[in-house]
Amino acid sequence: MIPDIRTVNVTRYVTPLKEGGSLPAVAEADDDFLYVLKFRGSGQGPKALIAELLGGEIARALGLRVPEIVFAQLDPAFGRTEPDQEIQDLLKASVGLNIALHYLSGSITFDPAVLSIDPLTASRIVWLDCLITNVDRTSRNTNMLWWNKQLWLIDHGAALYFHHTWTDWRQKAAQPFTLVKDHVLLPWATELAAVDAEYRSLMTPAFFEGLVCLIPTSWLSPSEAGFPDEDAQRAAYAEFLSIRAAHSGIFVKEAQHARQTLV
């Protein structure tokens, strides 16, 4: 089922989150909720927002917990009174549609050395990150939160890194994810074969074709990527993910092999 993504208007810049590579911030919207706002004007650009959207909603479709994702509209007048010049420049460059995740107040960074995780959950997260080629779930930065006694996944902006060049993207779709060796949950991922059988049937071409329709036109750059129009670029995202899911056995074997070298 394709999610219905709400759109909110950003009303207040609360505080920057300096640890994020894309200079995210906590912001308030016109629905009176707080969000972690990620800006299209950051150095990583709209591609990080596309990866955030697709990666987060794929995780949700697989039954994993992700904070609600919304489109966040930034008005041209927003941030004019911001005293920090770097932040003001970022806000000016991000006018229009951005992305935000519901702020989990009181959450803590998940540390598997302190909080236990079961093998099935670990295997599901490893499988997800192999599918979307997420390089950013390491011991240095787990991008997982513990909130209300539950595990939540955040920050998928570094996933789908193939779209930074679009070179030989069909071939890349069927390649193993060698960086799984650095995945923070790999030592606990003993159920990858069972998860693969469960998840492969959920990740269908029809699902991906519907999902990519959510990508806002303003985030796409078809001419830069070598496509005739935005619909063609959306279709390429869907095809990449469909190929990857159909060849999941390749990245599962890579993950299993990498795990054997750890244990």
Side-chain angles (χ1 to χ4, degrees), residues 248-260:
S248 62
I250 293 175
F251 63 67
V252 166
K253 287 181 181 177
E254 177 70 23
Q256 290 170 328
H257 174 72
R259 185 180 174 277
Q260 289 174 355

Side-chain angles (χ1 to χ4, degrees), residues 110-116 184 188:
F110 179 81
D111 183 351
V114 177
L115 299 165
S116 61
V184 66
W188 294 272

Side-chain angles (χ1 to χ4, degrees), residues 23-219:
L23 297 177
V26 176
E28 187 175 17
D30 57 357
D31 59 359
D32 295 327
F33 285 112
L34 292 177
Y35 295 92
V36 175
L37 179 60
K38 302 194 174 183
F39 300 98
R40 60 181 295 173
S42 70
Q44 298 174 5
K47 291 183 178 70
L49 308 192
I50 293 172
E52 190 74 63
L53 174 64
L54 298 183
E57 292 304 333
I58 288 170
R60 199 187 315 280
L62 293 174
L64 298 166
R65 293 184 184 87
V66 180
E68 182 191 7
I69 294 174
V70 299
F71 295 129
Q73 186 73 30
L74 206 61
D75 187 88
F78 187 83
R80 286 179 180 170
T81 59
E82 170 59 47
D84 187 304
Q85 188 61 50
E86 182 182 14
I87 294 174
Q88 188 176 124
D89 291 344
L90 177 63
L91 296 176
K92 287 180 180 177
S94 302
V95 168
L97 212 58
N98 299 272
I99 201 168
L101 285 78
H102 193 89
Y103 180 62
L104 304 183
S105 179
S107 62
I108 61 173
T109 299
F110 179 81
D111 183 351
V114 177
L115 299 165
S116 61
I117 186 167
D118 64 276
L120 185 58
T121 300
S123 300
R124 286 173 170 163
I125 296 171
V126 169
W127 193 97
L128 161 72
D129 288 333
C130 287
L131 173 70
I132 64 175
T133 61
N134 181 21
V135 302
D136 206 9
R137 191 105 61 202
T138 65
S139 57
R140 184 176 60 85
N141 190 16
T142 66
N143 281 320
M144 295 182 287
L145 298 177
W146 189 251
W147 187 67
N148 285 353
K149 300 181 179 180
Q150 294 175 325
L151 184 65
W152 295 77
L153 307 184
I154 61 167
D155 201 353
H156 298 96
L160 303 177
Y161 54 82
F162 79 96
H163 66 175
H164 291 284
T165 61
W166 287 99
T167 304
D168 299 326
W169 59 269
R170 286 189 179 91
Q171 290 84 346
K172 290 176 181 176
Q175 290 176 355
F177 181 52
T178 57
L179 293 177
V180 70
K181 63 182 177 60
D182 299 319
H183 200 289
V184 66
L185 298 182
L186 187 60
W188 294 272
T190 60
E191 304 298 320
L192 284 167
V195 167
D196 186 41
E198 173 192 2
Y199 274 0
R200 191 188 306 188
S201 64
L202 298 176
M203 297 289 98
T204 65
F207 169 73
F208 293 128
E209 288 164 9
L211 184 63
V212 299
C213 290
L214 296 173
I215 304 174
T217 297
S218 61
W219 294 359

